[in-house]
Amino acid sequence: EELLNSESDEPPITVVDEPVQAHLGNRSTTTHIKSLLDDWEEPVNKQDKMADPTIQDILMFRKASTFLEDTHPFGSSFGPAFTRDSCIKSSKSLYKRLLSLSPGSPVLPFDVIGVLAYNMDGTFDAKKARSLVRLFRPDKFDEVSLVHFVQSCDGLYKKIRYLRASIGNSSQIDNVLESIFNGVFGFLLALIVMSILEL
C-alpha cells in the first residue's frame, strides 16, 4: 500500500522537467540533434523510381535483344558462339592465337589480355583492368591456363543465354496476357453492340 501511495505522489510524465528542455527551447530533440550533424542528402536509388521507358530506352533494348540473337555475340575476332560447343571451340582457337603473341610460353601470360585495359589514348583504365581480372582469374604466377580461359568465356556465354531465355519467356507471357485481354475486350465489345442493336 505504501508503494502505491508513493507512486501516486509522483508527478505525471508530462510535468517532469526534461533536462535538456531549457537548452532546446521550443524545438524537438530530433530537430536540434539533426542541426548539429553534418548536412547530407539521401542518395537517389534508381530502383525506387519506376519511370516510364523512353523511346531511346526501347530502341536500345531492341538493339541489345538482336545482339543476343547474333551468331557471333563476342565479335568476329572471337568466332562463332551460337551454341555452347561452338563457343568452346572458338575459345580454344582464340587462346592459341593469343598464346602466339608470347612465344616460348606454354601458358598465356595475363599481360597479353591486360593490354585491353589501356584506352586508345594510352591511358590505363583501372576499372577495366579489375573487370578483366575478375573475368579471367589469373593464377599466382599471373598466367591464365587454357581451362580457365575457356571456363571464363563459357561463364559469360551462359549469362548471355540465360538473359536471352528470360527475355523470350517474358515475351511469351506478355503475348498470352495480350491475347487474353483481346479476347475479353472482343467479348465485351460484342455484348455492347448486341445491347445497342437490341438483339
Side-chain angles (χ1 to χ4, degrees):
E1 184 178 354
E2 293 179 358
L3 181 62
L4 294 175
N5 293 332
S6 61
E7 290 180 354
S8 61
D9 294 336
E10 294 180 358
I13 295 177
T14 54
V15 180
V16 177
D17 293 333
E18 190 177 346
V20 293
Q21 189 63 35
H23 178 67
L24 295 178
N26 294 327
R27 292 183 298 175
S28 65
T29 308
T30 303
T31 305
H32 181 68
I33 292 177
K34 186 177 180 180
S35 66
L36 299 176
L37 299 177
D38 295 334
D39 290 335
W40 63 277
E41 296 181 358
E42 290 282 350
V44 178
N45 187 353
K46 293 184 179 180
Q47 292 182 347
D48 296 337
K49 295 184 177 181
M50 300 298 293
D52 295 333
T54 61
I55 297 178
Q56 184 179 2
D57 294 335
I58 296 174
L59 293 177
M60 290 178 63
F61 178 77
R62 289 184 176 179
K63 185 177 181 180
S65 300
T66 56
F67 168 77
L68 297 177
E69 299 292 340
D70 195 352
T71 58
H72 295 66
F74 300 132
S76 57
S77 300
F78 180 86
F82 51 90
T83 62
R84 187 181 185 186
D85 290 340
S86 63
C87 178
I88 293 175
K89 291 179 181 178
S90 297
S91 301
K92 290 167 55 180
S93 176
L94 178 59
Y95 185 86
K96 292 178 181 178
R97 296 201 305 271
L98 293 175
L99 193 60
S100 65
L101 299 177
S102 180
S105 177
V107 185
L108 180 65
F110 183 73
D111 293 339
V112 177
I113 304 174
V115 176
L116 298 174
Y118 288 90
N119 298 319
M120 296 296 294
D121 56 357
T123 57
F124 182 75
D125 192 338
K127 184 177 180 181
K128 191 183 298 182
R130 288 192 295 268
S131 299
L132 290 172
V133 171
R134 285 195 301 267
L135 178 61
F136 293 103
R137 301 186 299 275
D139 58 17
K140 60 181 180 180
F141 302 108
D142 205 22
E143 295 177 336
V144 181
S145 65
L146 174 62
V147 175
H148 281 141
F149 185 84
V150 175
Q151 188 178 22
S152 300
C153 297
D154 180 65
L156 190 58
Y157 175 78
K158 175 185 175 182
K159 292 180 180 179
I160 291 178
R161 301 303 287 181
Y162 270 81
L163 177 60
R164 176 180 175 273
S166 298
I167 294 175
N169 294 336
S170 299
S171 300
Q172 278 195 341
I173 294 175
D174 291 340
N175 292 335
V176 171
L177 293 177
E178 184 179 356
S179 62
I180 294 175
F181 176 79
N182 290 337
V184 173
F185 178 77
F187 177 74
L188 294 176
L189 184 61
L191 290 179
I192 293 174
V193 171
M194 293 175 62
S195 63
I196 294 175
L197 298 178
E198 297 181 355
L199 295 178

